[in-house]
């Protein structure tokens, strides 16, 4: 029997961990700068949390959720996204009473039973934000400016921000009706999925990639023309604000989202390096969701980035693993090994950034320890054999300069700090 990871769920291997850590650390720094606090919600939620919010007829709810019954026959679902659980937590813990605007971020795995392909997994990871408590266009502007700045800070170029507005609940309902009217005599040219969507979720027809649907949609009514005056004004202020702060975007009138909770501003970030699954991230406003889930009536906006897709788009200019500074402590004999362990703690106290200390824990020969130091890319090797120990000294070998000094063991941490910083 050969065991393999579950289809569409991948191991994150040590050779890739630098990527993940670098992205996550950078994201935390960027988000905390903008006053976001981290929230971690459970992987499992009551299924109803997702059905009501994402929408009963959406692809996620009808086809993609990992849903099962627990021992008491309660229906549980592995979270396919982060917004609904966070709104659930916001209401459950009355987070809105702490301050009028709540700014939260999350980093973690999401689960969708999609057909796996490049950039599409069944367990994937998101960095997401939710700003709950402001209906203002300035919340949309700040969220998009922060996202834009963070993508730049990751070193990503060539991404495109696609922007649209769906309007309020009434606008969406009215537009769906006029779209249905337009599509009524063109049904035969729609794909099978769109024929079904037309009745239950007409807006989704607009972003179908099927060639004959694209033809039909070309002359479809325009969402923007259909917006009520306040929604038009909100969208205009968002666009003007983004231009003023230097965030470039493409207004994309057919951009609708695969989750029903959106109203008003919606956006998607695409990157040409990704192939068919080209969205690195997406988000928008969801002004009715908090109320619909039993909370107060507050405006909200957020986004989520797919970390795997971000890594594909960034590949080539990664934060390399070569940046860590490795010190190897090579020891012979029990006394030297104990001293080496004490020394490792003392070196740690020097707080040299990105320092890694390795030591022999398999009682190998000095020659094989030196080979190991070399293989691990050690910059310095601290050698403590019986001779050195008897004199309270260590050899400090600079592997790059190919030089060796004898120093007192007690001065090794200070010497390393001097030479590495
Ligand atoms: P979403 O568009 O469903 O939105 O997902 C956001 C991002 O997650 C996508 O753009 C993509 O990068 C990544 N993603 C989604 N599905 C997969 C998959 N199967 N494999 C790999 N990556 C994937 C949401 O999840 C909303 N909750 C975003 C949001 C937050 N809206 C407001 N606040």
């Amino acid at each position: 029997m050969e065991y393999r990871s579950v289809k569409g769920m991948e191991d994150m291997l040590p050779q890739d961990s630098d990527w993940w850590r670098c992205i996550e650390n950078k994201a935390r720094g960027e988000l905390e700068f903008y006053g976001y606090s981290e929230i971690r919600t459970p992987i499992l939620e009551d299924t109803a949390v997702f059905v009501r919010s994402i929408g009963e007829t959406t692809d996620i709810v009808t086809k993609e959720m990992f849903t099962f019954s627990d021992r008491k026959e309660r229906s549980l679902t592995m979270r396919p996204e982060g917004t609904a659980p966070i709104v659930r937590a916001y209401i459950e813990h009355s987070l809105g009473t702490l301050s009028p605007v709540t700014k939260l971020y999350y980093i973690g795995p999401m689960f969708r039973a999609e057909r796996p392909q490049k950039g599409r997994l069944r367990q994937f990871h998101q960095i997401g934000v939710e700003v709950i408590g402001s209906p203002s266009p300035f919340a949309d502007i700040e969220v998009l400016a922060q996202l834009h700045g963070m993508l730049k800070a990751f070193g990503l170029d060539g991404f495109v921000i696609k922007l649209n507005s769906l309007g309020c609940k009434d606008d969406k309902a009215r537009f769906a009706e006029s779209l249905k009217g337009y599509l009524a005599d063109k049904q035969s040219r729609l794909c099978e999925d769109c024929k079904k969507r037309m009745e239950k979720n007409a807006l989704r027809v607009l972003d179908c990639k099927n060639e004959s649907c694209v033809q039909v949609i070309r002359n479809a009514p325009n969402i923007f023309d259909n917006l009520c005056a306040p929604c038009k004004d909100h969208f205009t202020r968002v666009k003007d604000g983004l231009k003023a702060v230097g965030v470039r975007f493409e207004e994309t009138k057919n951009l609708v989202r695969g989750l029903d909770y959106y109203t008003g501003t919606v956006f998607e970030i695409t990157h040409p390096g990704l192939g068919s699954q080209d969205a690195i991230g997406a988000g928008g406003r969801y002004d009715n969701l908090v109320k619909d889930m039993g909370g107060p009536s507050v405006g909200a906006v957020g986004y989520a980035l797919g970390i795997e897709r971000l890594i594909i788009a960034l590949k080539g200019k990664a934060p390399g693993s070569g940046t860590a500074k490795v010190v190897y402590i090579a020891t012979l004999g029990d006394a030297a090994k104990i001293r080496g362990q004490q020394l490792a703690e003392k070196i740690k106290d020097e707080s040299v950034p990105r320092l890694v200390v390795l030591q022999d824990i398999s009682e190998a020969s000095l020659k094989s320890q030196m080979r190991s130091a070399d293989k691990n890319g050690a910059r310095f090797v601290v050698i403590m054999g019986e001779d050195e120990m008897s004199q309270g000294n260590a050899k400090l070998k600079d592997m790059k300069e190919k030089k060796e000094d004898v120093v007192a063991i007690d001065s090794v941490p200070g010497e390393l700090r001097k030479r590495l910083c």
Side-chain angles (χ1 to χ4, degrees):
M1 170 85 185
E2 197 182 327
Y3 296 109
R4 300 202 148 259
S5 68
V6 173
K7 187 176 169 189
M9 303 196 178
E10 293 183 344
D11 297 309
M12 189 194 76
L13 298 171
Q15 57 265 36
D16 291 324
S17 66
D18 263 6
W19 277 99
W20 287 79
R21 275 222 314 240
C22 181
I23 286 172
E24 290 176 9
N25 290 344
K26 196 147 258 172
R28 284 178 201 283
E30 294 276 322
L31 291 162
E32 283 163 18
F33 173 81
Y34 270 98
Y36 287 88
S37 307
E38 185 173 9
I39 182 164
R40 299 186 195 195
T41 59
I43 301 291
L44 290 180
E45 296 277 348
D46 279 337
T47 301
V49 167
F50 301 111
V51 176
R52 272 296 304 278
S53 55
I54 298 172
E56 272 170 70
T57 60
T58 57
D59 285 353
I60 297 181
V61 168
T62 56
K63 302 190 240 180
E64 297 169 2
M65 296 205 305
F66 285 99
T67 296
F68 56 89
S69 298
D70 71 3
R71 287 164 209 269
K72 296 220 165 113
E73 297 302 312
R74 285 174 296 226
S75 179
L76 300 178
T77 292
M78 294 172 77
R79 61 181 189 190
E81 61 104 49
T83 309
I86 284 166
V87 170
R88 193 262 313 133
Y90 172 88
I91 299 167
E92 184 173 337
H93 304 287
S94 306
L95 295 182
T97 55
L98 303 177
S99 75
V101 179
T102 307
K103 296 170 84 172
L104 303 167
Y105 78 89
Y106 50 98
I107 301 179
M110 306 291 159
F111 304 84
R112 294 183 195 175
E114 296 191 77
R115 195 169 44 78
Q117 63 177 81
K118 183 184 166 199
R120 189 163 72 192
L121 294 155
R122 292 185 166 183
Q123 176 175 336
F124 59 98
H125 297 76
Q126 288 185 340
I127 298 171
V129 316
E130 311 298 347
V131 178
I132 306 176
S134 170
S136 163
F138 289 104
D140 311 27
I141 295 165
E142 190 194 79
V143 161
L144 276 158
Q146 182 281 321
L147 171 57
H148 180 264
M150 185 164 77
L151 292 174
K152 290 271 178 205
F154 289 144
L156 190 71
D157 295 314
F159 60 87
V160 177
I161 300 178
K162 296 185 171 165
L163 189 71
N164 196 17
S165 173
L166 302 177
C168 56
K169 216 175 191 170
D170 290 347
D171 289 350
K172 274 173 78 178
R174 204 173 48 244
F175 183 67
E177 282 312 311
S178 87
L179 193 59
K180 269 192 226 166
Y182 167 80
L183 295 171
D185 59 350
K186 303 175 185 66
Q187 276 194 58
S188 59
R189 289 156 60 201
L190 296 178
C191 71
E192 288 310 308
D193 276 346
C194 282
K195 280 182 188 145
K196 285 185 217 139
R197 283 179 188 135
M198 224 191 98
E199 279 316 309
K200 293 184 174 158
N201 208 344
L203 261 64
R204 291 291 286 155
V205 177
L206 285 185
D207 75 346
C208 182
K209 306 286 182 289
N210 185 298
E211 193 42 45
S212 76
C213 299
V214 171
Q215 296 290 343
V216 171
I217 294 154
R218 198 153 282 153
N219 297 317
N222 186 333
I223 301 189
F224 186 75
D225 296 338
N226 174 76
L227 299 185
C228 65
C231 286
K232 250 186 194 158
D233 178 58
H234 183 105
F235 192 42
T236 305
R237 289 169 72 195
V238 171
K239 288 187 289 184
D240 289 348
L242 290 174
K243 283 181 203 151
V245 298
V247 173
R248 293 180 56 180
F249 59 88
E250 277 179 13
E251 193 172 340
T252 309
K253 69 174 175 119
N254 286 349
L255 177 70
V256 292
R257 303 273 301 120
L259 302 98
D260 281 356
Y261 52 62
Y262 291 109
T263 51
T265 314
V266 286
F267 51 89
E268 227 168 66
I269 321 297
T270 60
H271 192 278
L274 280 170
S276 64
Q277 301 302 312
D278 67 350
I280 319 173
R285 245 185 198 284
Y286 46 95
D287 287 345
N288 300 311
L289 184 59
V290 181
K291 185 153 190 278
D292 287 350
M293 288 181 73
S297 175
V298 284
V301 55
Y303 68 78
L305 286 175
I307 302 183
E308 287 83 357
R309 293 191 191 173
L310 189 60
I311 290 176
I312 297 173
L314 276 171
K315 270 267 151 80
K317 38 182 162 157
S321 56
T323 46
K325 298 163 197 156
V326 178
V327 168
Y328 193 98
I329 304 177
T331 44
L332 278 183
D334 290 10
K337 291 217 181 306
I338 297 294
R339 196 77 176 87
Q341 183 60 53
Q342 293 163 339
L343 198 57
E345 285 294 313
K346 289 269 181 314
I347 296 171
K348 191 173 75 186
D349 292 343
E350 293 291 321
S351 307
V352 177
R354 298 214 24 95
L355 185 65
V356 173
V357 171
L358 301 174
Q359 52 190 331
D360 174 58
I361 48 170
S362 55
E363 306 197 46
S365 69
L366 199 56
K367 203 165 156 198
S368 117
Q369 292 186 46
M370 292 308 287
R371 263 203 307 273
S372 195
D374 200 39
K375 223 165 127 194
N376 282 291
R379 177 73 173 77
F380 286 96
V381 183
V382 180
I383 303 165
M384 294 192 292
E386 276 158 17
D387 285 354
E388 288 83 11
M389 282 294 289
S390 66
Q391 291 159 24
N393 286 337
K395 278 191 199 137
L396 192 55
K397 184 166 179 165
D398 185 328
M399 302 290 273
K400 193 166 153 209
E401 304 293 333
K402 308 257 179 286
K403 277 192 334 207
E404 196 173 280
D405 294 315
V406 176
V407 298
I409 295 176
D410 289 340
S411 65
V412 167
E415 280 297 320
L416 286 171
R417 160 159 268 287
K418 232 180 3 203
R419 296 179 194 206
L420 284 168
C421 290

